[in-house]
Amino acid sequence: MTRLIGVVFGATSPFEADLIDRMYISADAAGYRLALGLHTSSRDRPRAVADLAEQGCAAVIVIGAEYDDRFDVAVPIVVVGERLPHLTAVTVGTDEWRGAQMAVQHLIDLGHTSIAHVEGGDHPCASERLRGYLGAMAAAGYRDECRTLVGDYTEEAGALAAERLLAEGDLPTAVFLANDRMAIGFIDVMRHSGIRIPEDMSVVGYDDGPHAVLGHLNLTTVRQDVPGLAAAAVDAVKSLVGDSTDHPDTGGCGFYGARALEPELMVRATTAPPVDALTGSSQPGLLRWGLLADDCDDNLVHELGTPGVLTGPIEVVASSSTAVAWEIADRLGIMVSYGIYEDLIDDPEIDAIFIALPPDARDTWAHKAREAGKVVRTRDSR
């Protein structure tokens, strides 16, 4: 039997490129070699599958098959992505409904009720991500607040969705996009239009691709288990070609044939409570505030005392040194101070943090505070 496995993928998807990289590792461990087949706008998936079958592949793995795909070949097919009822294939994928539900529930838990969704069109798994969005909104009692825009898994689609929202004028406080590439284009347009992320609008993507963790983006997103998907796809091939005693699942109940892997929500710097949460309309009672600052001039004192800036008293201040913290605390009449920022961020008694640091330090510590579950307001977000 040949030890060659064909893999059909698209060249424009960073997620698929990462999956191919991990698939080489899993194939090497199982004693297989990979032959890659590219699908493009002029060369569809069925053509790529047929070419790999003719090259003698024992099986073909198709990343992201779509509803109109038909594979008329004699070799077994494994689909990574969405289960398609008309295909006799083992399917492995992420529980896409669960991933979308987690993303939207995160926004709801922050206090958002006006949450839009930019769909993935006819692309793989987009329908399940849409279903997860609609289900989470309905379960929270926000069925009438659902708002969807058409997309297609590209940066350009995300940018166009942002332009449509800006043109309509009635901006949501949060947006869940069906993949990270759309989120990148969306955030770029919003920021260039003066919309602050996440102060004015929270954004969540899907996939957790390599660009999601870049410092200027630091995207909250849903992570797919790429190593797990690669290993499951190779395991499915082993069962189909007789290299494993496991019975191949080519049908039956359930949305996925072989395995559905659990997603993971990665909370980063593009999500925060909506502005009305900071004014107290979505959170009962007053928040207990802490201050991160290394100096305290008259402007800062005036700002902290301006009605509406904070929704509760400042109870503790933290600075880069104990002496500076004491000085600021004394001027503001605060009884508690910390000599390092981390102590304030880790204080379980503090609900929210006002950050009055220079921009380079401000963004870093705002991210750390949000990761710790604090409401964050920065001096530039008036």
Side-chain angles (χ1 to χ4, degrees):
M1 186 198 70
T2 178
R3 308 297 295 177
L4 191 64
I5 303 173
V7 182
V8 174
F9 72 108
T12 61
S13 169
F15 171 76
E16 295 188 20
D18 288 346
L19 189 55
I20 292 289
D21 182 49
R22 299 300 306 194
M23 219 170 268
Y24 271 111
I25 296 173
S26 296
D28 286 345
Y32 292 106
R33 293 179 295 117
L34 297 186
L36 304 184
L38 186 65
H39 70 81
T40 67
S41 59
S42 59
R43 186 172 186 268
D44 61 16
R45 290 180 187 82
R47 168 66 185 279
V49 168
D51 286 351
L52 289 170
E54 290 176 4
Q55 293 173 29
C57 292
V60 177
I61 299 171
V62 181
I63 301 176
E66 296 185 353
Y67 284 97
D68 57 353
D69 287 336
R70 299 293 186 275
F71 305 128
D72 185 17
V73 293
V75 300
I77 300 293
V78 174
V79 171
V80 179
E82 187 172 350
R83 181 170 175 78
L84 303 176
H86 66 275
L87 294 180
T88 303
V90 174
T91 307
V92 299
T94 301
D95 188 340
E96 306 287 355
W97 180 91
R98 173 62 178 151
Q101 188 273 337
M102 291 167 64
V104 178
Q105 190 61 50
H106 167 64
L107 294 170
I108 292 171
D109 290 344
L110 287 172
H112 295 277
T113 59
S114 177
I115 305 171
H117 175 54
V118 182
E119 305 176 37
D122 295 328
H123 288 282
C125 306
S127 61
E128 279 299 284
R129 296 174 191 181
L130 171 61
R131 195 169 70 90
Y133 161 77
L134 296 173
M137 292 290 283
Y142 303 137
R143 184 189 301 273
D144 293 340
E145 302 296 325
C146 289
R147 185 177 181 183
T148 61
L149 297 92
V150 176
D152 71 356
Y153 281 5
T154 64
E155 292 84 353
E156 291 80 6
L160 287 172
E163 290 170 359
R164 285 196 294 271
L165 287 176
L166 289 166
E168 292 170 4
D170 182 19
L171 293 178
T173 64
V175 179
F176 165 51
L177 297 102
N179 79 340
D180 290 347
R181 292 180 62 191
M182 286 197 295
I184 291 171
F186 183 91
I187 289 174
D188 184 62
V189 169
M190 284 297 178
R191 284 178 170 167
H192 278 89
S193 300
I195 304 301
R196 299 165 302 174
I197 309 294
E199 291 86 355
D200 299 325
M201 181 185 293
S202 288
V203 175
V204 181
Y206 201 109
D207 286 337
D208 196 30
H211 293 94
V213 295
L214 294 179
H216 72 283
L217 190 63
N218 212 10
L219 178 68
T220 295
T221 185
V222 178
R223 172 179 289 176
Q224 300 203 63
D225 181 1
V226 173
L229 289 171
V234 173
D235 286 345
V237 168
K238 291 170 62 178
S239 67
L240 287 168
V241 302
D243 278 354
S244 170
T245 57
D246 294 336
H247 180 69
D249 180 2
T250 57
C253 297
F255 194 77
Y256 296 102
R259 290 182 62 188
L261 279 66
E262 282 294 310
E264 180 181 4
L265 180 67
M266 309 303 295
V267 179
R268 299 194 179 104
T270 58
T271 52
V275 172
D276 58 358
L278 294 173
T279 62
S281 61
S282 10
Q283 294 185 0
L286 296 175
L287 300 179
R288 304 181 69 178
W289 286 81
L291 171 67
L292 287 185
D294 286 338
D295 59 64
C296 188
D297 56 22
D298 291 340
N299 290 333
L300 180 57
V301 173
H302 174 75
E303 183 174 349
L304 294 175
T306 301
V309 173
L310 304 181
T311 58
I314 292 180
E315 299 191 3
V316 59
V317 61
S319 299
S320 57
S321 74
T322 302
V324 173
W326 284 347
E327 181 180 342
I328 296 175
D330 182 63
R331 178 166 189 184
L332 296 176
I334 300 170
M335 300 300 295
V336 182
S337 62
Y338 294 130
I340 58 175
Y341 305 140
E342 288 90 342
D343 285 346
L344 173 55
I345 289 175
D346 294 337
D347 189 336
E349 300 299 320
I350 295 300
D351 306 307
I353 297 178
F354 187 91
I355 301 177
L357 298 172
D360 54 344
R362 176 199 64 210
D363 295 342
T364 298
W365 291 103
H367 171 57
K368 291 180 181 294
R370 291 190 182 102
E371 283 189 326
K374 309 296 186 184
V375 172
V376 174
R377 192 167 181 83
T378 59
R379 195 172 185 183
D380 70 329
S381 59
R382 298 184 290 276

